[in-house]
Amino acid sequence: MTDVDQKPDEPTIGRLVAEASRDISSLVQAEIQLAKSELKVSVRAGGIGAAMLAVAGFLGLLITVLVSISIAYFLVMAGLDPAWAFLIVAGAYLLLAALLIGLGIVMLKRIRAPKKTIETAGKIPAALKGDPGGAARRP
């Protein structure tokens, strides 16, 4: 087909490729802008949520201190000397901390390497080369 045979209204392949490229480029840019705006909202909400959790944690710490003092004063009202009452409360927290440390150590010792995942991940390079069982057949 020559330029004479082509109608003036029909687009050329070059023009079609250029238009498609331009359209894809503008689509990608629009998607990037959409992702940025969505991430801004998510990051703002995440920051506010994290701040609220931090404040709640601080208030929980204050509550723990106040409840500890209250328990000690209940022991004083039961007839104990204030020093002993506060020492008993501190000892209870010491026992609780020791228990949590022990349980934490036991839980940490249960951590194992993901053997099946490591095994299958080792087969991926051979599979990509076209040898599905190659990693398993190696000596």
Side-chain angles (χ1 to χ4, degrees), residues 3-4 13 32 43 51 65 77 81 91 101 112 117 121 125:
D3 288 335
V4 177
I13 292 177
I32 289 171
V43 167
V65 170
M77 287 179 12
D81 185 68
I101 288 171
R112 301 283 183 250
T117 303

Side-chain angles (χ1 to χ4, degrees), residues 1-55:
M1 180 180 341
T2 62
D3 288 335
V4 177
D5 294 339
Q6 190 175 19
K7 296 179 185 175
D9 294 344
E10 289 183 26
T12 63
I13 292 177
R15 192 170 10 152
L16 288 174
V17 169
E19 287 176 5
S21 175
R22 186 185 66 237
D23 291 345
I24 290 172
S25 175
S26 61
L27 177 64
V28 168
Q29 288 176 356
E31 287 295 324
I32 289 171
Q33 290 301 323
L34 177 62
K36 282 182 182 179
S37 66
E38 286 179 337
L39 284 175
K40 275 185 187 176
V41 171
S42 294
V43 167
R44 185 177 301 132
I48 292 171
M52 288 180 177
L53 287 174
V55 170

